[in-house]
Amino acid sequence: MKNVFDTFFFTEILQGLGVTMKHFFKKKVTYKYPYEDTPVFPRFRGIQYIKTDEEGVTKCVGCYLCQVVCPSECIHIVTDCGHKGQRLIRKYELDLSRCIYCGYCEEACPVDAIHMGRDYHTVDNTRDNYVVNMKTLTQNYKKEQKMAEAKGEQL
Amino acid sequence: MLLAIVFTIIKILIVITCTLLGVAYMTWAERKVIGAMQVRLGPTHVGWKGLLQPIADGLKLVVKEDLTPDMVDKPVFIIAPLLGMVPALASFAVIPFAETFTVFGMEIQPYITDLNIGLLYVLALSSVGTYALIMSGWASNSKYALLGSLRSSAQVVSYETAMGLSLVGPALLAGSLSLRDITLAQQGLWFVIPQFVAFIVYMISAVAETNRAPFDLPEAETEIVAGFHVEYSSMKFALFFLAEYANMYLVSALAVVMFLGGWNGPILPPLVWFIGKVLVLMFFYLWLRATLPRLRFDQLMGLGWKILIPIALANILVTSIVVYIVR
């Protein structure tokens, strides 16, 4: 009997219409992406940055651990011997078009140098710009510091 | 005589312009409404609240390359979209938008013409519109297009019956096939009250007739790419698109005239009442599309033949008996 009633008076369809109508007046959840960023969660892994010490010298010591651990092989390091016998980093390149943002480099780093940042705006119009070097990575550190200060957090 | 011809031409231009504008903005409204029902925003980028979006879409479609695939049946391929568009617009000739009114001592009729068989004319033209689907599917030389057009022709033929039968009730009550007389007959009581069953049958059939969700089998994107207009591009595709929306307007306007009392209504001017009712029905269309999933094809045909047509026939029987007794 109930089924007959439901069939004749479209109760289920009316229920569905009610649901859609309820959603019609809800607050929309769209983020207008190019104009406003989607919010990022605390443990989000974005573009890497490399920490520097007080004099602005990079903390990285060229130990190759991140290059070894990187699963997509996007970190390329070239080191050299300085005149005092210390190790100099001639080249530290990170190919963002290959990077899968797994965070293994951050895990492997023994000197707390490379970290996953919070910025995800990697798009560019040439492929060469995806390859970032030590300079960019340390600049990223300053950016991240500014962002963190604005939020009142510690990196 | 000449003045009458000039007046008619002006009225035709006004009606076609308004229809096309309404069609364009219905696409915008559809995206907005369905977006809102899915807790999205819909178009917001072009113009204020995305209001220029339909114009941008139209421009894009005009500028696009108009390609005709190899091995199509060329004349049929080209005629099909026109055949979809023309009946949809031509049917508006008999829709009575408002009551005649007098300006500067001249009597102006705010509708193009008042045929004494207006209802028949609209039904006839809406069946001509089916040929557009059949021909486009056949001419495209593509299995998906053919499947889509076969589905659509089966669907439209079966629902045409229920739609025509459900419209017989109001015509019986009004005692005329002229849409203006039917509207005038509803000054006291809208026919939706005595003919509620017919109204429901008509609305279901109308949604099926215009190939809209939940009866959008011919265009089932998930099953057969896009149905009958899969091979069309550029302006031809735009014509199909416009024809679909113009048909939606047409069946909504017809429902308003036959069941919801046309321009009749208190306080507000008649034209506002008419347009308001049509827009409410159009919103109902979008609402349905946001709500219901697509039917299976056998369910669709079963609903048409086993349920709607018997109900419509029973409705005619009862209505005829009542009308006979009362008169």
Side-chain angles (χ1 to χ4, degrees):
Chain A
M1 196 58 223
K2 188 174 179 299
N3 277 343
V4 173
F5 179 83
D6 283 351
T7 313
F8 272 95
F9 291 90
F10 310 116
T11 46
E12 279 122 351
I13 292 179
L14 290 175
Q15 261 175 345
L17 289 172
V19 169
T20 39
M21 197 30 109
K22 207 168 65 194
H23 281 263
F24 184 77
F25 296 107
K26 271 193 181 162
K27 195 177 177 302
K28 308 292 172 274
V29 295
T30 309
Y31 297 109
K32 299 174 184 153
Y33 167 61
Y35 311 106
E36 55 178 43
D37 289 350
T38 50
V40 162
F41 288 96
R43 294 183 55 189
F44 182 82
R45 301 192 295 269
I47 303 174
Q48 289 87 346
Y49 61 90
I50 288 183
K51 285 194 174 179
T52 54
D53 55 16
E54 291 74 28
E55 288 115 46
V57 181
T58 174
K59 277 188 172 185
C60 175
V61 292
C63 66
Y64 290 90
L65 277 182
C66 49
Q67 180 181 322
V68 170
V69 80
C70 182
S72 53
E73 296 176 8
C74 66
I75 301 180
H76 301 284
I77 310 174
V78 175
T79 53
D80 200 354
C81 183
H83 63 279
K84 284 191 226 134
Q86 79 275 39
R87 186 182 279 196
L88 300 172
I89 299 156
R90 286 278 173 242
K91 189 175 86 170
Y92 188 102
E93 277 185 351
L94 201 153
D95 190 345
L96 287 177
S97 62
R98 287 191 65 104
C99 178
I100 58 166
Y101 302 98
C102 60
Y104 282 10
C105 44
E106 184 182 19
E107 299 267 341
C109 188
V111 288
D112 191 37
I114 190 160
H115 281 273
M116 304 303 283
R118 322 216 42 196
D119 185 20
Y120 53 87
H121 299 282
T122 52
V123 282
D124 216 312
N125 45 18
T126 57
R127 247 176 246 184
D128 297 352
N129 293 354
Y130 282 108
V131 182
V132 294
N133 54 16
M134 181 63 84
K135 196 176 166 195
T136 324
L137 285 164
T138 47
Q139 274 170 358
N140 283 353
Y141 175 51
K142 291 194 176 66
K143 278 184 208 159
E144 296 281 348
Q145 266 183 318
K146 279 204 189 82
M147 274 166 64
E149 264 173 41
K151 282 189 203 149
E153 291 167 6
Q154 274 284 309
L155 271 183
Chain B
M1 183 64 209
L2 189 69
L3 195 68
I5 290 175
V6 169
F7 257 65
T8 310
I9 287 174
I10 290 173
K11 278 191 290 194
I12 288 173
L13 285 178
I14 290 174
V15 167
I16 284 189
T17 314
C18 292
T19 310
L20 288 180
L21 268 177
V23 162
Y25 275 92
M26 191 43 66
T27 63
W28 172 84
E30 173 163 38
R31 290 168 68 177
K32 272 290 192 196
V33 167
I34 288 179
M37 286 181 176
Q38 293 166 356
V39 207
R40 303 184 282 112
L41 286 172
T44 54
H45 190 68
V46 191
W48 183 74
K49 298 266 179 200
L51 266 174
L52 296 178
Q53 187 70 47
I55 293 157
D57 289 345
L59 275 176
K60 186 206 77 170
L61 279 171
V62 170
V63 172
K64 281 226 162 185
E65 184 188 4
D66 185 4
L67 33 92
T68 314
D70 269 355
M71 310 290 289
V72 297
D73 192 344
K74 263 234 170 78
V76 180
F77 187 81
I78 290 164
I79 283 174
L82 300 174
L83 204 57
M85 191 68 200
V86 170
L89 286 180
S91 307
F92 278 94
V94 293
I95 301 285
F97 297 101
E99 179 60 297
T100 51
F101 55 93
T102 320
V103 180
F104 309 126
M106 273 174 53
E107 196 177 74
I108 293 188
Q109 299 178 326
Y111 41 85
I112 295 169
T113 177
D114 177 28
L115 284 181
N116 56 354
I117 51 161
L119 182 58
L120 195 63
Y121 170 82
V122 171
L123 286 175
L125 276 178
S126 73
S127 8
V128 171
T130 317
Y131 284 103
L133 315 187
I134 300 172
M135 282 163 76
S136 58
W138 176 253
S140 291
N141 191 28
S142 144
K143 60 188 168 202
Y144 298 114
L146 186 59
L147 278 171
S149 75
L150 284 176
R151 281 178 174 195
S152 76
S153 45
Q155 174 179 331
V156 171
V157 163
S158 24
Y159 279 87
E160 192 98 42
T161 323
M163 189 168 141
L165 289 175
S166 65
L167 288 176
V168 169
L172 278 171
L173 289 182
S176 161
L177 282 182
S178 149
L179 294 182
R180 184 162 178 269
D181 291 353
I182 290 171
T183 314
L184 288 172
Q186 295 176 72
Q187 272 167 340
L189 175 75
W190 295 359
F191 286 160
V192 69
I193 295 160
Q195 289 291 321
F196 187 71
V197 178
F199 177 66
I200 297 288
V201 171
Y202 176 83
M203 282 319 285
I204 296 174
S205 310
V207 175
E209 186 72 15
T210 46
N211 295 331
R212 295 283 303 176
F215 303 106
D216 54 351
L217 269 293
E219 292 179 42
E221 297 92 354
T222 41
E223 300 156 34
I224 42 171
V225 199
F228 55 90
H229 53 57
V230 66
E231 299 292 349
Y232 283 87
S233 56
S234 174
M235 214 49 221
K236 297 200 191 89
F237 173 77
L239 276 177
F240 273 122
F241 204 64
L242 293 179
E244 180 180 317
Y245 282 82
N247 272 320
M248 280 164 68
Y249 269 111
L250 178 68
V251 294
S252 301
L254 199 59
V256 167
V257 169
M258 301 298 290
F259 294 101
L260 299 180
W263 65 68
N264 292 310
I267 306 166
L268 295 170
L271 189 64
V272 174
W273 268 107
F274 187 88
I275 290 173
K277 288 172 188 173
V278 169
L279 288 182
V280 166
L281 284 183
M282 293 299 282
F283 178 79
F284 183 72
Y285 258 104
L286 308 183
W287 193 9
L288 272 181
R289 187 182 158 186
T291 306
L292 296 176
R294 214 181 355 255
L295 272 77
R296 221 171 44 226
F297 195 64
D298 53 331
Q299 290 171 328
L300 176 98
M301 298 309 272
L303 178 70
W305 289 101
K306 291 181 197 164
I307 297 172
L308 291 186
I309 291 178
I311 287 179
L313 282 169
N315 177 60
I316 290 177
L317 184 70
V318 174
T319 311
S320 328
I321 291 169
V322 170
V323 168
Y324 184 76
I325 291 168
V326 170
R327 288 201 184 135

